[in-house]
């Protein structure tokens, strides 16, 4: 699998600040959004801008994508997750992880730009 679109069935949002351990470093997060469907999960950590450059990662055995997003974008993600009248999709791309996203449009991204 190099890319996958999946329909999101559930989303959990946690706005409690906490620290996580990522690749041996302590990262302070401002909130978390976990979206799931088709046995895949998409976890978004909302962080200060200095941590937003951590690359998106796909963990195949857990069927999990982890993405670090600047906290000032938190309401954009929450508004997508709360769309009641539109289908929300998750998108994974192993070759171009910077394209990993959650969207109300089914992403069609076969190429790296």
């Amino acid at each position: 699998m190099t890319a996958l679109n999946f329909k999101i069935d559930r989303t959990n949002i946690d706005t409690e600040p906490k620290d996580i351990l990522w690749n041996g470093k302590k990262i302070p997060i401002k909130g978390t959004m976990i979206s799931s469907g088709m046995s895949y999960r998409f976890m978004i950590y909302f962080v200060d801008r200095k941590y937003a450059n951590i690359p998106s990662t796909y963990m195949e055995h857990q069927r999990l994508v982890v993405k670090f997003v600047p906290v000032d974008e938190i309401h954009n993600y929450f508004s997508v997750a709360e769309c009641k009248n539109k289908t929300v999709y998750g998108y994974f791309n192993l070759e171009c992880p910077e394209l990993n996203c959650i969207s109300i449009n089914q992403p069609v991204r076969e190429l790296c730009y």
Side-chain angles (χ1 to χ4, degrees), residues 41-83:
R41 291 175 297 145
F42 199 116
M43 179 177 286
I44 299 172
Y45 288 120
F46 298 99
V47 295
D48 289 330
R49 282 225 173 255
K50 68 180 182 177
Y51 298 106
N53 63 348
I54 297 172
S56 182
T57 303
Y58 176 61
M59 298 173 196
E60 187 173 4
H61 296 301
Q62 289 97 356
R63 300 182 99 176
L64 170 68
V65 167
V66 176
K67 184 169 182 144
F68 292 83
V69 174
V71 69
D72 57 348
E73 296 179 22
I74 197 167
H75 295 294
N76 298 336
Y77 281 86
F78 288 1
S79 65
V80 168
E82 294 169 353
C83 284

Side-chain angles (χ1 to χ4, degrees):
M1 176 191 85
T2 60
L4 170 73
N5 288 322
F6 69 98
K7 181 181 169 197
I8 290 174
D9 299 319
R10 294 172 305 285
T11 297
N12 295 318
I13 295 171
D14 180 4
T15 56
E16 186 71 29
K18 60 184 101 177
D19 292 334
I20 63 165
L21 193 59
W22 185 260
N23 291 333
K25 294 181 182 176
K26 189 164 90 169
I27 307 292
I29 62 169
K30 309 296 183 185
T32 306
M33 185 171 97
I34 303 171
S35 299
S36 59
M38 292 178 47
S39 75
Y40 290 94
R41 291 175 297 145
F42 199 116
M43 179 177 286
I44 299 172
Y45 288 120
F46 298 99
V47 295
D48 289 330
R49 282 225 173 255
K50 68 180 182 177
Y51 298 106
N53 63 348
I54 297 172
S56 182
T57 303
Y58 176 61
M59 298 173 196
E60 187 173 4
H61 296 301
Q62 289 97 356
R63 300 182 99 176
L64 170 68
V65 167
V66 176
K67 184 169 182 144
F68 292 83
V69 174
V71 69
D72 57 348
E73 296 179 22
I74 197 167
H75 295 294
N76 298 336
Y77 281 86
F78 288 1
S79 65
V80 168
E82 294 169 353
C83 284
K84 300 296 182 207
N85 56 347
K86 298 193 184 229
T87 303
V88 178
Y89 295 92
Y91 177 76
F92 302 168
N93 187 313
L94 296 179
E95 293 175 11
C96 298
E98 66 275 8
L99 299 178
N100 294 347
C101 67
I102 291 176
S103 173
I104 57 172
N105 300 312
Q106 187 170 5
V108 180
R109 296 180 175 171
E110 295 299 324
L111 303 172
C112 290
Y113 300 99

